[in-house]
Amino acid sequence: MPNATRALWSASLGRVVAREPFGNLERLADGVWALVSTPLNGDNTTVSNGGIIAGKNAVLAIEGLNRPAGAQWLAGKAKELTGRWPTHIALTHYHSDHANGVAGYLTESDHPVVRATARTRDLVIERNKPEDASRAAAVRESVLITATEATTLDLGGRSVHVVPRLGHTESDISLELDEPSIVFAGDLFWNAMFPNFVDAIPTKLATSVRALRRSRDTLYVPGHGPLGHVAEYDRYVAMLDEVERAARAGLAAGTPPADLGAKFSLPTSLGEWTLFNKVFYQRAFEAWYRELKPA
Ligand SMILES: [Zn+2]
C-alpha cells in the first residue's frame, strides 16, 4: 500500500475499541460501531466493512461478512459492547464478501432475523461460491426488505432507515441514522479503494451515490476502506465521474475495455486509490460499455 493510502487507512474517525488482523471496530456514537476491515493485510476473515447498531430492545449487525468466523466475531463484540447477541442482520447486497459468513451469527440459542431484499436473498443462494447449506438455510428464511420504498427498523429508541437503492448491483440497500447523521452505504461508497464494477449499472450507481449524499455533516461507512466525511465522499463521486469520462471517450474512440483499463490511471488530484485487483479498471469500462453501447 502506498504511504499516503496507509496513512488514510490508519487515521480512524471513531475510537478504536477492538483491533484484529482482519480489521478494526470503531465506536461512532452511543450504540453505533463500524467494522473497518483491512483485507489488504492478507487476512480475509471479514473483507467487507460492517457494523453494529444497538437500541434498547434489539441489536442490528450489518453485513454477513466474508466468513462465518468474521460474523461470529462481530456478534461476540455486539454481546460484549451491548449485552446482547445481534437480533437482526442486514445484508446490503449479495456479494460474497458481504454475505458468505452470515451463518456465523446463528448459534444453538441465537437465531437473529436476517433481513435482505428478495433479489439479494435469491442471488446469495444462486451465485455465491462455494455453495454452503448453512448459508443457504440462513438466508432462505430472510425477512424481506421491500425494494420499492424506504422502511424503518425500530430497535427501541433507535430508528434505522432501510433504503433500497441500486447500481453497485441490481439490488443494494443503505442503512441510515438521523441523529447523529451516519450512513452505512454498503458498496455504493468505496473510500480510497477503487470499486468493483462486476455487477454495476453505472448510470444507476451515479444516481444512487448522489442520492445517498446528505447536505449536513455526515459520517459515511463505506463498503470498503476507511470511514469518510463529505470530503472523502465527494472525492469518490469525482473519481466515478472521471471513470465515466474515460469510458465515454474510450467507447467513442473504439478502444476495447481491456486496452482502456491497461492504460488508465486516475489524476493525482483525486489522491490515492488502491486497486483490490488490477482488472478492476477494465471491469469498470466493461460495465459502462454494457450500458452505453447501442444494442
Ligand atoms: Zn459488492
Side-chain angles (χ1 to χ4, degrees):
M1 232 191 289
N3 283 336
T5 313
R6 197 180 294 277
L8 183 58
W9 276 67
S10 51
S12 323
L13 293 177
R15 179 167 59 84
V16 174
V17 298
R19 228 178 255 288
E20 298 287 343
F22 51 81
N24 300 323
L25 193 63
E26 301 190 26
R27 182 186 177 281
L28 309 185
D30 238 7
V32 187
W33 295 266
L35 165 64
V36 178
S37 291
T38 52
L40 301 173
N41 295 344
D43 186 318
N44 69 0
T45 304
T46 51
V47 180
S48 78
N49 293 343
I52 301 167
I53 303 176
K56 288 193 207 69
N57 311 323
V59 174
L60 169 69
I62 299 169
E63 306 293 19
L65 306 170
N66 191 49
R67 298 207 334 238
Q72 203 172 25
W73 177 86
L74 190 64
K77 287 292 158 194
K79 174 97 184 178
E80 255 178 69
L81 293 163
T82 74
R84 217 185 236 127
W85 194 263
T87 52
H88 302 267
I89 316 301
L91 303 182
T92 63
H93 63 293
Y94 87 92
H95 283 160
S96 57
D97 52 329
H98 295 253
N100 274 10
V102 67
Y105 288 113
L106 310 180
T107 70
E108 295 259 303
S109 52
D110 299 287
H111 302 277
V113 176
V114 176
R115 289 175 183 267
T117 64
R119 195 63 189 133
T120 292
R121 175 199 60 189
D122 293 349
L123 289 171
V124 169
I125 294 169
E126 285 165 24
R127 292 198 193 163
N128 288 7
K129 298 284 181 287
E131 281 178 28
D132 177 77
S134 55
R135 179 201 313 142
V139 297
R140 200 170 285 125
E141 289 167 21
S142 295
V143 169
L144 296 183
I145 294 169
T146 171
T148 52
E149 59 186 351
T151 52
T152 299
L153 180 62
D154 182 3
L155 303 174
R158 171 76 76 186
S159 291
V160 183
H161 301 296
V162 182
V163 187
R165 301 187 186 274
L166 80 167
H168 172 68
T169 66
E170 58 187 279
S171 181
D172 302 290
I173 61 161
S174 57
L175 298 148
E176 310 190 11
L177 300 175
D178 286 335
E179 200 50 59
S181 186
I182 297 173
V183 172
F184 286 85
D187 276 359
L188 294 168
F189 175 36
W190 292 52
N191 188 15
M193 298 193 77
F194 190 85
N196 183 356
F197 276 75
V198 64
D199 290 316
I201 312 158
T203 59
K204 306 282 188 208
L205 177 65
T207 304
S208 290
V209 300
R210 280 165 174 79
L212 206 54
R213 186 188 185 281
R214 291 182 167 181
S215 51
R216 61 196 168 117
D217 188 31
T218 294
L219 190 52
Y220 297 92
V221 182
H224 298 274
L227 306 175
H229 279 288
V230 68
E232 289 77 25
Y233 198 83
D234 286 348
R235 180 174 86 108
Y236 167 72
V237 176
M239 187 277 292
L240 291 183
D241 287 349
E242 188 64 30
V243 172
E244 176 176 352
R245 263 193 297 280
R248 288 180 185 277
L251 188 62
T255 312
D259 296 354
L260 194 57
K263 68 176 189 195
F264 180 72
S265 62
L266 287 162
T268 52
S269 60
L270 289 174
E272 297 275 356
W273 291 88
T274 303
L275 276 176
F276 235 131
N277 188 313
K278 284 202 179 81
V279 82
F280 273 21
Y281 286 155
Q282 179 185 333
R283 293 263 160 75
F285 296 129
E286 285 167 349
W288 270 111
Y289 282 26
R290 274 199 302 272
E291 262 210 289
L292 296 176
K293 253 188 189 162

